[in-house]
Amino acid sequence: DSPDWALQFGISFANAVQSTPGSKLTGFEIGNEPDLYTKNFLFGRQHIRPPDYTWQDLVRDWKPYIAAFHGNPVTANIPLIGPAYSGDWTTPHLGDFIDGVGATNLSFVTVHDYPTDDCGGKPVTISDLLSDRRTESYLADASEWVHAAKTRGLPLVLGESNSTACEGAKGVSDVFASTAWGLD
């Protein structure tokens, strides 16, 4: 939660990569699943962000990182990537985020997606995972993500995915059905 701290980490990492033959630094991803910040806790005690935190707030939070990383000669040419959405903001607000931070400040766009989740003990079944409804919903969402990135001249990376969020569902994520879902 500090552009200055993140920049120092970035400089150290960039220098380490530069001094390691064969290494390449693809970019710095700022944050992880920020659309879940109002639901997640930091060290089990406090919310990462207040309940009314929005994608507009995320854009505001990103701007000092952009200035810090682009303003330093060691990190200026290393791309920033993000937003690594994984929920409610992904489909309706991916393009809004790109526009808000400026497409030229990103080298590619990242999203995370899990078709099901067992967070809080929700039951997940194989038939639900492999249902036509899930596949059609995923294809519709993915088409919107690709469109949001492509129309702004950026590639899209599905940076994180699996069959079920929150550590997977026993009997679903750890069986062949999950492989079949992945192939589909």
Side-chain angles (χ1 to χ4, degrees):
D1 208 17
S2 166
D4 294 334
W5 180 90
L7 177 61
Q8 294 310 308
F9 175 80
I11 291 168
S12 295
F13 201 79
N15 288 333
V17 168
Q18 191 140 23
S19 67
T20 306
S23 295
K24 181 180 178 185
L25 182 55
T26 304
F28 293 109
E29 186 171 64
I30 309 297
N32 182 51
E33 301 180 355
D35 46 335
L36 303 179
Y37 286 177
T38 62
K39 299 173 184 170
N40 293 331
F41 291 92
L42 182 63
F43 307 114
R45 293 188 298 275
Q46 65 185 28
H47 285 283
I48 296 170
R49 292 289 185 268
D52 59 347
Y53 189 75
T54 65
W55 67 267
Q56 294 98 330
D57 296 320
L58 178 66
V59 167
R60 184 197 68 236
D61 288 349
W62 257 67
K63 298 217 176 193
Y65 289 89
I66 293 168
F69 279 78
H70 287 188
N72 185 282
V74 175
T75 58
N77 294 320
I78 300 170
L80 298 179
I81 58 177
Y85 285 168
S86 179
D88 297 340
W89 296 352
T90 309
T91 300
H93 298 299
L94 186 60
D96 295 331
F97 171 82
I98 298 166
D99 294 340
V101 300
T104 59
N105 289 313
L106 297 165
S107 65
F108 57 91
V109 178
T110 58
V111 296
H112 297 174
D113 187 67
Y114 295 81
T116 64
D117 74 77
D118 68 348
C119 307
K122 290 184 205 171
V124 176
T125 64
I126 291 172
S127 59
D128 182 35
L129 175 65
L130 299 179
S131 71
D132 288 343
R133 178 181 58 82
R134 287 274 178 214
T135 302
E136 290 163 6
S137 174
Y138 181 82
L139 289 174
D141 288 345
S143 293
E144 287 190 42
W145 309 333
V146 169
H147 178 76
K150 187 177 182 178
T151 58
R152 290 157 177 90
L154 294 167
L156 175 77
V157 172
L158 178 59
E160 188 178 306
S161 183
N162 208 325
S163 59
T164 305
C166 294
E167 301 180 18
K170 189 166 178 55
V172 178
S173 300
D174 57 354
V175 298
F176 184 73
S178 183
T179 301
W181 164 81
L183 293 171
D184 194 22

